[in-house]
């Protein structure tokens, strides 16, 4: 078939796929080299056509809603517009035939072996430099080269365990590698969520296309990391920079998905050369750290001294062989842009063959021949810093497309290269193939790159069957970058026959092994307590505000003594009751969300959705409602949402230490709040109506009427909310529950001895158990509140 015949056949392709035909040309990814439709695409497009525009749009909207509900976000950095953005899902997956994928797998496994050889030599015998296969300038002057790691043999015997490769395909159908990701490859968790969201929208289509599953890849890697720990005395943990990192969501997601600890640098301590995690049960060993931060940030003692997210001594632990890193510290050097110029020759030397998947053509200007080539072909290249680790297609690190520069800028850049040739590298200006993107009811071609993941397992390198595709928002190649508005698409490897239905679960077990319940990082326990406290503080504030606005609506004036007293009580707490939804209340809710965000790996998606829904609703009310009756109804809505959140968390969390700390936080705060509110409303000079408001805030109006009738107003209210052990709102009830949870914590009740926190709680409970309602007074209640604060301090001292 001639080239003109191929083009003619491609032009006819839109007629085959009905209403969902591509506009502005046929995407390259849908057409084979002979002009025929690639396997899977015709069936896929026909299925979309059968669904119809309205149904398809609705399904894609549901996929977007799922991602929002699951809390999937991407942190953007764009001047003043920094913050979390909705995950930009491109709803049309990229389809790749199984036969073609096998070639990609083989090529990437070969490349991963080559990179392992290179890094082992760089930090080992340095024969590549001695043989002239690598220039010493690319190593010795490279900021990614960690000198303190030279000569250290990794605990596992390998430097690389998890890699990612950025692939591009030209319009002619050939794949090449745009860049290697060995520092701390991101996106694997997002690939999972892309799959979930896309298959929710296109479940019937997905089932018919025999798409390879992703679970087996993660199962095998999880098993490999578990085995890497050796004798099983340690554990695997994912080391994250924290919630401010742009990909923190996936750190938490992967930790939850694989059952690994998620730790930050502050959670770890090195003792006698061994890495330990601070848990509520004391120090526990860590054998393997899957790091998601750059290597030089891991240890401020030996590596980057200004690091605020590392742990002193980690480099020494690596040196002693007591901890294994995924990947080794210093592995980021393999991402160096100029290194691509030398990999083909290294492959010939060390592997005895050419790379099955070639690099994007690269020239290091430090070599005379390469510099001459760059000078002669200057206008058709991309030029940037030789030691940059950013991809030329999406970096902001100084890469320039020479064709886009004016003559003056070209001359200036060429002069810089002549002055410092070793500091620059040039790359081929690539033209990427295009894939279909759904835009306004039609398909449009957009440039695409593919990020594929490789994991070292007991059987060698395993390649994720699919990956993470980045799709441009415009035809410009630079529009692929996520930070510049690019989208993410799922990748389906389609087979002509049914595929294995794999899961993370083992088919059978000879024995049952359980993780200890006390292996909760101290930081996580602290955040769980504060999540419980913020939730209760929010509920108390909402109940007070509802009572205030109810009376304001009934009275129609703000000078009532009870309303004045309410405002005076709330003002020191940072809550302005004259606002329908005070900023102080929003700050409390934000505090709860912030605490929950620190423990996303231990927090159910339903609980997170309920909490963020509360936050969004409160902020919306703050913009739209007015004081009085509107605010009363709004507070009732917030109470219902709070109750939904508390119910989800309380009923769904396993009764491990994490749940106990959350429950302790709730009981501490509710006890403090009731004691403080009763102190205010039971004072001798309390305004008229104070008792009724106290019962209303304490959600005990109906109970009071049934138990006391109308004959014991103030005294009955005090007994009910302070000393009645059967009232779940009473202070003594909180103390009883608090004591029970404190006794169940590690070290809470050992050999008949209570912990200091449990003893303090028991004393408070005993004092209230024997008190008469008539003896309750503001001073005594202040003492109870202070006593609960002391219990909180005792908990922090013991566990955090």
């Amino acid at each position: 078939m001639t080239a003109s015949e191929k083009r003619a056949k491609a032009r006819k392709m839109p007629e085959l796929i009905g209403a969902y035909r591509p506009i502005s040309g046929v995407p390259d990814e849908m057409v084979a080299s002979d002009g025929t439709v690639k396997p899977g695409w015709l069936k896929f497009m026909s299925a979309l056509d059968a669904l119809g525009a309205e149904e398809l749009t609705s399904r894609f909207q549901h996929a977007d809603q799922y991602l929002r509900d699951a809390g999937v976000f991407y942190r953007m950095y764009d001047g003043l517009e920094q913050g979390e953005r909705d995950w930009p899902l491109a709803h049309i997956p990229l389809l790749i035939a199984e036969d073609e994928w096998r070639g990609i797998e083989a090529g990437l496994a070969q490349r991963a072996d080559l990179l392992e050889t290179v890094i082992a030599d760089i930090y080992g015998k340095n024969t590549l430099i001695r043989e002239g296969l690598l220039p010493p300038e690319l190593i010795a002057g490279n900021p990614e080269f960690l000198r303190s790691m030279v000569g250290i043999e990794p605990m596992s015997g390998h430097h690389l365990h998890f890699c990612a490769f950025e692939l591009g395909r030209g319009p002619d159908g050939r794949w090449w590698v745009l860049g290697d990701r060995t520092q701390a490859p991101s996106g694997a968790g997002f690939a999972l969520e892309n799959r979930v969201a896309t298959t929710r929208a296109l479940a019937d289509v997905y089932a018919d296309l025999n798409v390879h599953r992703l679970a087996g890849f993660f199962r095998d890697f999880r098993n490999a990391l578990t085995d890497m720990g050796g004798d099983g005395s340690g554990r695997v943990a994912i080391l994250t920079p924290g919630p401010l990192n742009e990909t923190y969501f996936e750190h938490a997601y992967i930790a939850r998905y694989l059952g690994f600890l998620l730790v930050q640098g502050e959670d770890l301590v090195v003792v006698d050369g061994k890495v330990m995690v601070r848990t509520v049960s004391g120090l526990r060993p860590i054998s393997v750290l899957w790091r998601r931060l750059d290597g030089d940030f891991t240890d401020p003692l030996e590596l980057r001294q200004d690091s605020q997210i590392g742990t002193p001594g980690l480099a020494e632990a690596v040196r002693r062989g007591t901890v294994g890193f995924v990947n080794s510290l210093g592995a980021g050097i393999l991402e160096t842009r100029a290194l691509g110029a030398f990999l083909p020759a290294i492959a010939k030397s060390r592997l005895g063959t050419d790379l099955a998947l070639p690099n994007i053509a690269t020239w290091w200007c430090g070599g005379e021949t390469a510099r001459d080539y760059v000078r002669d072909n200057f206008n058709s290249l991309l030029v940037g810093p030789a030691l940059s680790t950013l991809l030329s297609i999406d970096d902001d690190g100084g890469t320039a497309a020479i064709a886009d520069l004016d003559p003056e800028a070209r001359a200036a850049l060429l002069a810089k290269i002549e002055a410092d040739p070793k500091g620059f590298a040039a790359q081929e200006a690539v033209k990427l193939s295009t894939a279909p993107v759904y835009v306004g009811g039609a398909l449009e071609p957009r440039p695409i790159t593919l990020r594929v993941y490789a994991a070292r397992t007991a059987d060698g390198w395993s390649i994720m069957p699919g990956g993470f595709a980045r799709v441009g928002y415009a035809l410009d190649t630079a529009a692929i970058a996520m930070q510049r508005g690019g989208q993410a698409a799922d990748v389906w490897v389609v087979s002509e026959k049914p595929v294995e239905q794999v899961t993370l679960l083992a088919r059978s077990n000879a024995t049952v092994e359980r993780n200890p319940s006390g292996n909760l990082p101290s930081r996580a326990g602290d955040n769980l307590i504060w999540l419980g406290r913020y939730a209760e503080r929010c509920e108390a504030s909402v109940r007070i505000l509802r009572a205030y606005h109810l009376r304001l609506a009934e009275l129609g004036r703000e000078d009532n003594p009870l309303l004045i007293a309410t405002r005076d009580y709330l003002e020191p707490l940072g809550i302005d009751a004259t606002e329908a939804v005070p900023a102080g209340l929003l700050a409390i809710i934000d505090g709860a969300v912030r605490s929950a965000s620190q423990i996303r790996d231990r927090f159910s998606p339903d609980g997170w959705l309920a909490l963020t829904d509360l936050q969004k609703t409160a902020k919306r009310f703050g913009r739209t409602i007015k004081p009085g009756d509107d605010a009363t109804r709004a507070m009732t809505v917030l109470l219902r949402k709070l109750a939904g959140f508390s119910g989800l968390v309380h009923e769904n969390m396993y009764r491990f230490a994490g749940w106990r700390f959350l429950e302790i936080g709730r009981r501490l705060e509710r006890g403090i709040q009731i004691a403080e509110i009763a102190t205010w409303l039971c004072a001798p000079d309390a305004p008229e109506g104070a008792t009724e408001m106290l019962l209303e805030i304490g959600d005990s109006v109906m109970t009071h009427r049934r138990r006391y009738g109308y004959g014991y107003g103030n005294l009955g209210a005090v007994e009910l909310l302070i000393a009645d052990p059967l009232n779940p709102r009473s202070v003594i009830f909180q103390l009883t529950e608090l004591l029970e949870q404190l006794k169940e914590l590690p070290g809470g009740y050992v050999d008949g001895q209570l912990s200091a926190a449990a003893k303090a709680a028991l004393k408070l409970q005993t004092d209230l158990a024997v008190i008469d309602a008539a003896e309750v007074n503001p001073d005594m209640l202040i003492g109870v509140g202070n006593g609960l604060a002391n219990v909180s301090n005792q908990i922090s001292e013991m566990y955090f």
Side-chain angles (χ1 to χ4, degrees):
M1 184 181 292
T2 66
S4 60
E5 289 173 332
K6 292 179 183 178
R7 287 193 294 272
K9 194 164 189 177
R11 282 197 297 272
K12 292 180 180 179
M13 186 185 146
E15 300 173 9
L16 301 176
I17 56 177
Y20 297 99
R21 58 184 180 275
I23 62 176
S24 303
V26 180
D28 306 310
E29 291 295 338
M30 299 172 65
V31 185
S33 58
D34 62 358
T36 60
V37 182
K38 289 183 179 180
W41 276 110
L42 184 58
K43 187 174 183 180
F44 177 82
M45 301 306 292
S46 299
L48 295 193
D49 188 52
L51 290 173
E54 185 176 346
E55 173 66 15
L56 197 59
T57 299
S58 174
R59 289 188 178 204
F60 290 160
Q61 289 173 345
H62 280 94
D64 292 337
Q65 186 61 52
Y66 160 76
L67 292 170
R68 287 192 292 270
D69 290 347
V72 185
F73 69 87
Y74 186 81
R75 190 173 295 281
M76 300 286 288
Y77 301 97
D78 184 19
L80 298 177
E81 296 296 319
Q82 298 180 15
E84 296 175 2
R85 306 286 179 84
D86 289 342
W87 184 246
L89 177 68
H91 304 98
I92 303 296
L94 174 65
L95 273 57
I96 301 178
E98 184 180 52
D99 290 345
E100 182 179 10
W101 188 257
R102 295 305 175 211
I104 293 174
E105 283 184 326
L108 293 183
Q110 178 204 46
R111 189 175 187 88
D113 282 335
L114 177 63
L115 293 179
E116 174 68 35
T117 299
V118 172
I119 190 172
D121 185 81
I122 288 174
Y123 288 100
K125 297 180 179 180
N126 249 328
T127 57
L128 293 174
I129 290 177
R130 286 200 298 272
E131 295 173 13
L133 293 172
L134 268 181
E137 294 91 339
L138 290 187
I139 307 302
N142 198 317
E144 297 296 338
F145 178 57
L146 304 184
R147 295 179 183 275
S148 58
M149 295 293 104
V150 172
I152 298 177
E153 182 72 18
M155 182 184 77
S156 66
H158 299 287
H159 290 269
L160 301 180
H161 303 86
F162 192 82
C163 305
F165 304 93
E166 205 79 24
L167 304 183
R169 178 155 55 180
D172 61 358
R174 290 184 304 143
W175 287 99
W176 12 257
V177 179
L178 300 173
D180 304 301
R181 289 287 172 250
T182 54
Q183 175 73 273
S186 64
F190 291 122
L192 280 170
E193 283 289 30
N194 285 345
R195 174 62 56 89
V196 174
T198 304
T199 53
R200 284 199 175 195
L202 303 170
D204 44 356
V205 184
Y206 178 80
D208 288 342
L209 284 178
N210 299 322
V211 181
H212 282 270
R213 271 50 173 178
L214 304 181
F217 171 82
F218 287 97
R219 177 198 60 204
D220 294 344
F221 186 49
R222 178 198 61 191
N223 295 343
L225 290 186
T226 303
D227 294 342
M228 184 176 162
D231 61 4
S233 62
R235 292 197 63 183
V236 180
I238 297 177
L239 178 59
T240 174
L244 295 181
N245 184 264
E246 65 182 17
T247 57
Y248 174 74
F249 167 82
E250 76 150 336
H251 304 171
Y253 182 86
I254 289 290
R256 188 168 61 235
Y257 184 69
L258 298 181
F260 292 155
L261 283 176
L262 183 67
V263 299
Q264 298 180 30
E266 65 187 85
D267 297 326
L268 304 176
V269 62
V270 178
V271 180
D272 295 330
K274 296 181 180 179
V275 180
M276 314 292 281
V277 59
R278 296 183 176 95
T279 77
V280 297
S281 297
L283 298 179
R284 293 291 183 267
I286 291 290
S287 298
V288 179
L289 284 171
W290 183 358
R291 63 177 176 86
R292 300 305 304 271
L293 67 161
D294 290 354
D296 57 344
F297 278 93
T298 56
D299 188 346
L301 189 64
E302 288 197 46
L303 302 174
R304 186 163 176 161
Q305 296 181 2
D306 62 344
S307 172
Q308 301 290 317
I309 55 177
T311 305
L314 282 180
E316 177 61 21
V318 173
R319 191 173 291 113
R320 295 193 186 192
T322 61
V323 69
F325 269 99
V326 177
N327 289 322
S328 288
L329 301 181
I333 197 170
L334 295 174
E335 299 182 1
T336 303
R337 179 177 298 160
L339 190 64
F342 304 94
L343 288 180
I346 296 174
K348 272 283 192 183
S349 170
R350 295 301 188 261
L351 304 181
T353 184
D354 291 326
L355 287 170
L357 286 177
N359 300 323
I360 177 176
T362 305
W363 298 268
W364 178 57
C365 296
E368 184 175 349
T369 302
R371 187 163 63 252
D372 290 343
Y373 179 90
V374 171
R375 187 186 301 113
D376 295 341
N377 298 273
F378 194 59
N379 293 341
S380 62
L381 300 174
L382 298 172
V383 176
L387 301 184
S388 173
T389 59
L390 299 171
L391 292 175
S392 59
I393 61 168
D394 65 356
D395 78 25
D396 292 310
T399 300
I402 307 304
D404 296 337
L405 301 179
D406 58 47
E408 184 178 345
R410 293 184 194 182
L413 181 55
L414 190 56
K416 288 182 179 179
I417 295 174
E418 296 293 348
D420 179 25
K422 295 179 180 180
F424 290 89
Q427 290 183 311
E428 175 185 7
V430 300
K431 179 175 174 57
L432 297 172
S433 65
T434 56
V437 175
Y438 186 77
V439 180
L443 299 179
E444 297 186 15
R446 292 289 185 268
I448 192 167
T449 63
L450 178 61
R451 178 169 291 190
V452 186
Y453 300 90
R456 186 182 295 279
T457 70
D459 299 320
W461 288 104
S462 172
I463 310 299
M464 182 191 292
F468 175 86
R470 294 195 296 171
V471 185
Y473 68 87
L475 288 173
D476 179 13
T477 298
I480 283 179
M482 301 288 287
Q483 294 285 354
R484 299 182 185 178
Q487 295 178 296
D490 191 14
V491 180
W492 292 4
V493 177
V494 296
S495 175
E496 294 182 355
K497 54 187 178 182
V499 298
E500 181 185 2
Q501 305 296 307
V502 295
T503 72
L504 284 182
L505 298 177
R507 293 185 180 274
S508 62
N509 298 86
T511 60
V512 176
E513 296 182 7
R514 302 178 182 88
N515 291 325
S517 62
N519 275 355
L520 176 74
S522 297
R523 177 186 50 82
D526 192 22
N527 278 290
L528 283 162
I529 275 192
W530 277 105
L531 175 59
R533 293 195 63 169
Y534 276 126
E536 285 297 322
R537 189 174 299 177
C538 180
E539 180 175 341
S541 301
V542 168
R543 288 186 179 279
I544 295 172
L545 288 167
R546 184 174 69 167
Y548 174 87
H549 286 289
L550 176 62
R551 284 154 180 78
L552 177 62
E554 292 173 348
L555 297 171
R557 51 191 297 179
E558 297 180 344
D559 59 355
N560 177 271
L562 184 57
L563 297 185
I564 294 172
T566 304
R567 293 197 296 272
D568 291 343
Y569 174 77
L570 291 174
E571 183 179 3
L573 305 179
I575 297 176
D576 183 356
T578 63
E579 300 176 359
V581 181
L585 175 61
L586 296 178
I588 294 172
I589 298 174
D590 290 344
V593 173
R594 187 166 55 252
S595 293
S597 71
Q598 296 276 349
I599 47 172
R600 287 295 302 274
D601 59 312
R602 298 178 177 274
F603 211 62
S604 74
D606 288 335
W608 177 257
L609 174 61
L611 186 58
T612 54
D613 180 52
L614 169 70
Q615 183 187 45
K616 293 174 183 176
T617 303
K619 289 181 177 179
R620 185 177 73 250
F621 284 162
R623 296 189 300 268
T624 59
I625 68 169
K626 298 179 180 179
D629 192 52
D630 281 354
T632 302
R633 288 195 296 269
M635 293 303 126
T636 299
V637 172
L638 294 182
L639 275 177
R640 287 202 300 267
K641 290 183 179 292
L642 274 165
F645 165 71
S646 297
L648 275 171
V649 173
H650 184 81
E651 294 299 325
N652 294 346
M653 280 186 73
Y654 191 78
R655 267 44 174 178
F656 259 22
W659 177 84
R660 300 193 188 285
F661 278 105
L662 182 68
E663 186 72 0
I664 285 168
R666 292 180 62 220
R667 299 305 175 184
L668 278 171
E669 190 67 28
R670 184 178 291 184
I672 291 172
Q673 291 291 334
I674 294 296
E676 288 184 351
I677 295 168
T679 301
W680 157 49
L681 291 175
C682 291
D685 57 349
E688 184 178 350
T691 300
E692 289 82 357
M693 181 178 272
L694 172 63
L695 289 167
E696 187 177 324
I697 294 169
D699 197 21
S700 298
V701 173
M702 293 176 59
T703 305
H704 181 267
R705 289 175 183 170
R706 288 198 183 100
R707 191 163 176 80
Y708 300 98
Y710 293 92
Y712 300 92
N714 187 60
L715 204 60
V718 169
E719 181 178 81
L720 185 62
L721 286 170
I722 303 300
D724 190 333
L726 301 180
N727 182 11
R729 291 281 169 180
S730 72
V731 176
I732 195 171
F733 188 94
Q734 313 314 313
L735 286 166
T736 301
E737 292 296 312
L738 178 62
L739 179 59
E740 288 302 309
Q741 300 309 327
L742 288 172
K743 289 165 64 177
E744 293 295 329
L745 289 180
Y749 188 67
V750 180
D751 296 332
Q753 295 295 314
L754 293 172
S755 66
K759 287 180 180 178
L762 177 60
K763 185 178 185 305
L764 288 172
Q765 183 208 37
T766 303
D767 290 344
L768 279 187
V770 299
I771 201 170
D772 187 87
E775 299 177 89
V776 176
N777 58 67
D779 289 340
M780 181 272 248
L781 291 172
I782 291 173
V784 171
N786 291 337
L788 283 165
N790 177 58
V791 173
S792 178
N793 292 335
Q794 296 275 9
I795 294 170
S796 296
E797 191 173 316
M798 180 172 182
Y799 296 105
F800 311 141

